[in-house]
Amino acid sequence: MTKQLEKLMFVQGGRCFFCDQRIPATEASVEHLIARANGGANSEDNCVACCKSLNALLANKSLKEKLRIVLNQRGQFKCPACYSSKETPYSTESNGLRLERLSRISADLKNRHPALPRTVNALRNTIDAVFQKKLTAEDISSILDELQSSGRITISENKVEYQLAP
Ligand SMILES: [Zn+2]
């Protein structure tokens, strides 16, 4: 690995700039965003580390073509305005993450027993606190939905009842 590639890989946390997957050193390569053939510099500003296979595909294409290729692949990419639409940016998140959140909040609620939050708002605040206020309002709503659909809680007129397994 060249010094330049080593540095880029370090900066990117060992992940491909484009697909965000960890890449082994043997699969990493330096991609010049503006191709050297098109006058692009060999400076850090113009270079990213990425999978060799993608680098070969991007080759000497123009930056515009490269952007199009990248955008065509990124299903989860959303512009800021898209966030106000009904579909939340987390709709594509993996089942694993959702289950992890669900079991984390269930475990926390069991620990709080019998001092459980009795209203929807109190429960929302509890969930917010458990996840260190990193969730959006939509995330919290989806966790509430899942707690309900999995039978862990029932909500009627803002009051929450718990059916937490021991
Ligand atoms: Zn990649």
Side-chain angles (χ1 to χ4, degrees):
M1 220 198 268
T2 63
K3 275 259 163 347
Q4 183 191 29
L5 183 54
E6 239 169 55
K7 187 173 176 191
L8 287 168
M9 285 296 284
F10 177 79
V11 169
Q12 293 172 206
R15 290 170 186 277
C16 169
F17 183 82
F18 296 97
C19 70
D20 203 32
Q21 299 297 305
R22 287 196 169 280
I23 35 178
T26 50
E27 286 306 311
S29 64
V30 176
E31 153 71 9
H32 294 79
L33 295 172
I34 298 174
R36 304 213 70 189
N38 301 334
N42 194 31
S43 66
E44 217 176 305
D45 281 350
N46 189 43
C47 292
V48 298
C50 78
C51 302
K52 268 184 187 162
S53 54
L54 182 64
N55 197 348
L57 179 82
L58 296 179
N60 291 339
K61 291 185 167 49
S62 70
L63 190 55
K64 180 173 167 177
E65 287 175 296
K66 290 180 183 181
L67 270 176
R68 194 63 259 167
I69 290 171
V70 171
L71 289 171
N72 284 348
Q73 307 311 314
R74 295 200 55 129
Q76 72 273 48
F77 182 90
K78 299 238 175 184
C79 294
C82 306
Y83 285 93
S84 55
S85 74
K86 260 202 150 181
E87 204 187 337
T88 73
Y90 294 94
S91 59
T92 55
E93 80 187 1
S94 69
N95 243 352
L97 179 59
R98 283 170 44 233
L99 290 175
E100 191 193 307
R101 281 180 178 169
L102 207 58
S103 68
R104 197 162 147 192
I105 190 68
S106 304
D108 180 86
L109 289 170
K110 275 176 216 164
N111 287 339
R112 281 167 202 266
H113 190 81
L116 290 160
R118 290 293 165 194
T119 64
V120 172
N121 268 345
L123 180 55
R124 290 187 75 96
N125 289 337
T126 301
I127 295 172
D128 204 19
V130 167
F131 293 96
Q132 282 129 34
K133 300 189 183 292
K134 283 179 187 151
L135 299 181
T136 63
E138 286 82 12
D139 288 337
I140 296 175
S141 297
S142 85
I143 289 176
L144 281 178
D145 285 347
E146 294 194 30
L147 285 171
Q148 279 187 92
S149 61
S150 64
R152 289 175 171 89
I153 62 169
T154 49
I155 295 175
S156 66
E157 306 196 346
N158 257 343
K159 295 259 181 296
V160 186
E161 298 287 340
Y162 295 84
Q163 288 86 31
L164 299 168

Short mmCIF file of all heavy atoms in Angstrom, two decimals, residues 16-21 23 50-51 54, ligand 1:
data_model
loop_
_atom_site.label_atom_id
_atom_site.label_comp_id
_atom_site.label_asym_id
_atom_site.label_seq_id
_atom_site.Cartn_x
_atom_site.Cartn_y
_atom_site.Cartn_z
N CYS A 16 -14.45 1.95 2.25
CA CYS A 16 -14.53 2.51 0.91
C CYS A 16 -15.31 3.82 0.95
O CYS A 16 -16.35 3.91 1.61
CB CYS A 16 -15.23 1.49 0.00
SG CYS A 16 -15.68 2.16 -1.62
N PHE A 17 -14.80 4.83 0.26
CA PHE A 17 -15.44 6.14 0.24
C PHE A 17 -16.86 6.06 -0.28
O PHE A 17 -17.75 6.78 0.14
CB PHE A 17 -14.61 7.08 -0.65
CG PHE A 17 -15.12 8.49 -0.70
CD1 PHE A 17 -14.79 9.39 0.31
CD2 PHE A 17 -15.90 8.94 -1.76
CE1 PHE A 17 -15.24 10.70 0.27
CE2 PHE A 17 -16.34 10.25 -1.80
CZ PHE A 17 -16.01 11.13 -0.78
N PHE A 18 -17.11 5.15 -1.21
CA PHE A 18 -18.41 5.10 -1.88
C PHE A 18 -19.39 4.13 -1.23
O PHE A 18 -20.52 4.50 -0.93
CB PHE A 18 -18.22 4.76 -3.37
CG PHE A 18 -17.45 5.81 -4.11
CD1 PHE A 18 -16.10 5.67 -4.33
CD2 PHE A 18 -18.10 6.95 -4.56
CE1 PHE A 18 -15.39 6.66 -5.00
CE2 PHE A 18 -17.40 7.94 -5.23
CZ PHE A 18 -16.03 7.79 -5.45
N CYS A 19 -18.96 2.89 -1.02
CA CYS A 19 -19.93 1.90 -0.53
C CYS A 19 -19.89 1.78 0.99
O CYS A 19 -20.74 1.12 1.58
CB CYS A 19 -19.72 0.55 -1.19
SG CYS A 19 -18.20 -0.29 -0.68
N ASP A 20 -18.91 2.40 1.64
CA ASP A 20 -18.85 2.43 3.10
C ASP A 20 -18.59 1.05 3.70
O ASP A 20 -18.83 0.84 4.88
CB ASP A 20 -20.13 3.04 3.67
CG ASP A 20 -19.90 3.61 5.07
OD1 ASP A 20 -18.78 4.08 5.32
OD2 ASP A 20 -20.82 3.56 5.90
N GLN A 21 -18.13 0.11 2.87
CA GLN A 21 -17.79 -1.21 3.41
C GLN A 21 -16.31 -1.24 3.77
O GLN A 21 -15.50 -0.56 3.14
CB GLN A 21 -18.06 -2.31 2.36
CG GLN A 21 -19.50 -2.40 1.91
CD GLN A 21 -20.42 -2.77 3.06
OE1 GLN A 21 -20.22 -3.78 3.73
NE2 GLN A 21 -21.43 -1.94 3.30
N ILE A 23 -12.76 -2.43 3.54
CA ILE A 23 -12.07 -3.09 2.43
C ILE A 23 -10.68 -3.53 2.86
O ILE A 23 -9.96 -2.77 3.51
CB ILE A 23 -11.99 -2.23 1.16
CG1 ILE A 23 -11.84 -0.74 1.48
CG2 ILE A 23 -13.21 -2.43 0.28
CD1 ILE A 23 -11.70 0.12 0.23
N CYS A 50 -11.03 3.73 -2.44
CA CYS A 50 -12.25 2.97 -2.71
C CYS A 50 -11.92 1.59 -3.24
O CYS A 50 -10.75 1.27 -3.51
CB CYS A 50 -13.16 3.73 -3.68
SG CYS A 50 -12.66 3.64 -5.39
N CYS A 51 -12.94 0.76 -3.37
CA CYS A 51 -12.77 -0.59 -3.90
C CYS A 51 -12.16 -0.53 -5.30
O CYS A 51 -12.58 0.29 -6.12
CB CYS A 51 -14.12 -1.30 -3.98
SG CYS A 51 -14.99 -1.41 -2.41
N LEU A 54 -14.65 -0.64 -8.26
CA LEU A 54 -15.33 0.61 -8.60
C LEU A 54 -14.37 1.57 -9.28
O LEU A 54 -14.72 2.25 -10.25
CB LEU A 54 -15.93 1.25 -7.34
CG LEU A 54 -16.70 2.55 -7.62
CD1 LEU A 54 -17.92 2.27 -8.48
CD2 LEU A 54 -17.10 3.24 -6.34
ZN ZN B 1 -16.57 0.18 -2.23
#
